[in-house]
Amino acid sequence: MKTVDIIYRYEVGGTPAKPLPSDSNAALLRLNDGNRDFAALLDHVKDESGVIQQIIPVDPRDLGLVSGSAGVPKQRPFAAILGCSDARVPIELIFNEGPNDLFVIRVAGNCLGTEVLGSLKYALEHLGGTLKLIVVLGHSGCGALSTAVDVFLNPGDYLTFAAKHSLRSILDRSLLVVQASANKLISEFGSDIARNPGYRQALIEASIVTNAALAAYSIQQEFVAGELTELRAVYGVYLLETREVWAPRLGNIEGVGLSAVPHDLAGFVDLGNAVVQSDRIRSYLKTGE
Ligand SMILES: [Zn+2]
């Protein structure tokens, strides 16, 4: 088995490591490229022996390491990312980014609560000079969505949350997405699909995508639409299995990389179709073509 070194390299007095993306497209490209490199680095790690190295250059200014400066770096992230608290999804690492690159908010199920919206509003109002993109990142096997699916499938379990207001608030936000995802699976495969042994897992994974897309849509509507800004919201799902970001979409149902947010209801219908037609969701149901 190989040894893998992922190294943050600061060169004091050197030139800035990476230029900031000039617009949302450049920011999106940088995150997608960074994730692809991270995933590729570990792809063949079990195949051979030896050492592979990934060096992430870091601008010395981001740690106050430039002589003659006041020493306190100015905050200048190019993307704000709302992700899940899940310990298996370290946001900077999976996008090959370092300090001062990303404004990260992590909360179970990447739910849009009041404090999350407040944090995003702060970022937009104070970091607008460099901030180009808002990302909602779900992940496969998310515990928050898994719990919501289990309650959806066995509504009596909701009673166990009667005295747990804080957990219930996360659950309540997710149930609508689970309901919509269940409707989509049944309209695609028929009502018997609910008896398929892989139905629960397919419903969890379909709900995770839709949950991220809906949160990104809400952010787009609340903060971006109608504003004279180049900022935009995108979404994706980090796959623990392959370490890639996944976002199936119309015309690219196996979609790798972050995706633009659906514009309207028709866009969500297209997204729902892409999700249930993707090989990944079908693989749980074993209903391949
Ligand atoms: Zn999670």
Side-chain angles (χ1 to χ4, degrees), residues 83-89 107-110 137-145 208:
C84 182
S85 301
D86 194 295
R88 298 167 294 181
V89 192
V107 60
N110 38 276
L137 186 72
H139 68 95
S140 61
C142 183
L145 272 299
I208 287 167

Side-chain angles (χ1 to χ4, degrees), residues 24 27-28 31 78-80 131-135 231-234 258:
S24 60
L28 180 61
L31 289 177
F78 70 88
L131 199 69
K132 304 297 178 192
L133 197 66
I134 303 176
V135 179
L231 200 73
R232 67 177 165 129
V234 298
L258 297 162

Side-chain angles (χ1 to χ4, degrees), residues 109-179:
N110 38 276
C111 291
L112 269 189
T114 307
E115 287 80 1
V116 169
L117 288 167
S119 299
L120 285 171
K121 192 166 181 57
Y122 170 85
L124 266 60
E125 289 183 349
H126 293 86
L127 309 172
T130 58
L131 199 69
K132 304 297 178 192
L133 197 66
I134 303 176
V135 179
V136 179
L137 186 72
H139 68 95
S140 61
C142 183
L145 272 299
S146 301
T147 302
V149 165
D150 287 339
V151 168
F152 174 77
L153 296 175
N154 301 289
D157 290 353
Y158 194 85
L159 297 180
T160 64
F161 290 89
K164 300 173 183 170
H165 172 77
S166 54
L167 289 177
R168 213 169 59 232
S169 69
I170 296 173
L171 181 62
D172 289 345
R173 288 177 206 281
S174 310
L175 283 170
L176 178 70
V177 163
V178 174
Q179 173 77 65

Side-chain angles (χ1 to χ4, degrees), residues 223-237:
F223 294 122
V224 181
E227 299 286 328
L228 292 174
T229 172
E230 288 183 356
L231 200 73
R232 67 177 165 129
V234 298
Y235 71 96
V237 174

